[in-house]
Amino acid sequence: KESWITPTIKPTATTCIAISWLTPNKEHAIGINSNEPPAQDIHNNPFKHWDFIPNIVKEHYVKKVLIIGNESTGKSTLVQTLANIYNTNCVLEYSRDVCSRCGGEDYMLTEDFEEVLYQHKLNIKNAVKESNKLLFIDTDSFMTYYYRKHAGLLDSDEKESILDNEDNIRLISGEYDLVLFMESDVPYVQDDLRILDRNENGLRESCTEIIKELYKNNGIDFKIISGSYSERLEKAQSLIKEVFDI
């Protein structure tokens, strides 16, 4: 006759907190430090109780802040500044690395845009694992789609690509907890990686409107950020406070 023996498991901080989360109606699970908040409080306000959340699950509570807009509007500067202020990570626009390697946007092929699409998504996935409450992200899949389709950067080989369909882009892009749109009301700064003459004859403003419509048509809400660079930072911090209470 078989005998069943229940093994004795020595509780650890991680297992105790996990048990606590499985019993949210209990004030505290057995073995948990009495100074720790109830599990339901952690669920309801994870930022307030961040230190009590096991590292292995913190990534599920990280809020993603996406910053989008036309080129030369201060996106990269803002994501890096915000990451420093909130002591967390940021994901920079990967397309600049590929564009530099190719020698400019005019020389990018379908495969290059697809690399941007997937590598940027992978960079976000990796960064969120090590982030502190917030993750700031410079552009997303829709911006890659825009540059390939609307900015006249289609390569001549006419290969079919996942970038041909907005539905595909929507699936890859994922969801963000706050989206900030940078208006084109700061001076345009040209560099070797930006499309020439984008600032002439109102083209910058018309491209900005095309980008806005792209996000609106795909059901993505965003908050407008405008003004000087210092005003943009102040507005971004105000929205972060309003949305995340941090």
Side-chain angles (χ1 to χ4, degrees):
K1 185 177 180 179
E2 296 182 359
S3 61
W4 296 89
I5 301 176
T6 302
T8 300
I9 301 176
K10 183 178 180 180
T12 65
T14 300
T15 57
C16 286
I17 292 176
I19 293 171
S20 168
W21 287 5
L22 292 174
T23 57
N25 294 326
K26 301 292 184 181
E27 183 177 358
H28 292 290
I30 296 175
I32 290 186
N33 189 311
S34 60
N35 293 326
E36 294 175 1
Q40 195 64 52
D41 288 356
I42 297 177
H43 278 294
N44 294 338
N45 195 341
F47 285 3
K48 181 179 179 181
H49 308 292
W50 190 255
D51 292 339
F52 294 103
I53 302 176
N55 291 332
I56 195 172
V57 296
K58 278 183 176 177
E59 64 178 282
H60 300 289
Y61 290 93
V62 170
K63 301 299 183 181
K64 292 183 287 186
V65 180
L66 173 65
I67 297 177
I68 57 175
N70 205 352
E71 56 188 20
S72 191
T73 54
K75 299 186 299 295
S76 299
T77 299
L78 185 60
V79 296
Q80 292 178 87
T81 302
L82 290 171
N84 287 331
I85 290 173
Y86 293 97
N87 190 31
T88 188
N89 297 320
C90 67
V91 177
L92 297 178
E93 183 182 8
Y94 184 71
S95 62
R96 290 184 67 85
D97 296 332
V98 177
C99 183
S100 178
R101 186 189 69 203
C102 293
E105 290 176 321
D106 290 337
Y107 301 100
M108 291 177 67
L109 302 177
T110 293
E111 292 84 352
D112 300 315
F113 286 101
E114 290 176 344
E115 178 187 346
V116 170
L117 193 73
Y118 292 122
Q119 187 61 52
H120 190 66
K121 185 70 174 180
L122 181 60
N123 290 347
I124 294 172
K125 181 179 180 180
N126 291 334
V128 77
K129 297 176 182 178
E130 305 294 334
S131 293
N132 176 33
K133 302 178 184 177
L134 301 172
L135 174 63
F136 297 98
I137 303 163
D138 179 359
T139 74
D140 71 335
S141 302
F142 278 105
M143 289 302 301
T144 304
Y145 170 83
Y146 160 77
Y147 279 117
R148 182 174 181 270
K149 181 176 181 180
H150 293 288
L153 300 177
L154 287 171
D155 60 289
S156 59
D157 56 19
E158 298 183 353
K159 293 181 180 178
E160 291 187 4
S161 170
I162 194 170
L163 282 157
D164 294 336
N165 190 306
E166 288 186 23
D167 291 335
N168 294 334
I169 302 303
R170 191 181 302 109
L171 290 174
I172 294 173
S173 181
E175 297 182 355
Y176 298 91
D177 300 286
L178 177 62
V179 181
L180 307 178
F181 189 98
M182 306 283 275
E183 282 285 13
S184 299
D185 57 345
V186 289
Y188 186 87
V189 179
Q190 185 60 272
D191 65 23
D192 293 338
L193 299 181
R194 291 183 176 137
I195 299 175
L196 296 177
D197 301 327
R198 180 65 65 84
N199 195 36
E200 294 185 358
N201 302 321
L203 186 56
R204 188 185 189 198
E205 289 73 19
S206 63
C207 288
T208 296
E209 293 306 313
I210 291 174
I211 296 171
K212 285 181 181 178
E213 287 303 311
L214 175 62
Y215 281 90
K216 289 178 181 178
N217 292 340
N218 282 279
I220 301 174
D221 295 326
F222 52 82
K223 303 292 185 180
I224 296 293
I225 300 289
S226 61
S228 66
Y229 291 113
S230 59
E231 290 172 335
R232 289 163 187 255
L233 176 59
E234 182 179 345
K235 178 62 174 178
Q237 288 182 275
S238 177
L239 287 169
I240 290 168
K241 175 66 176 177
E242 177 185 332
V243 174
F244 306 120
D245 192 25
I246 184 175

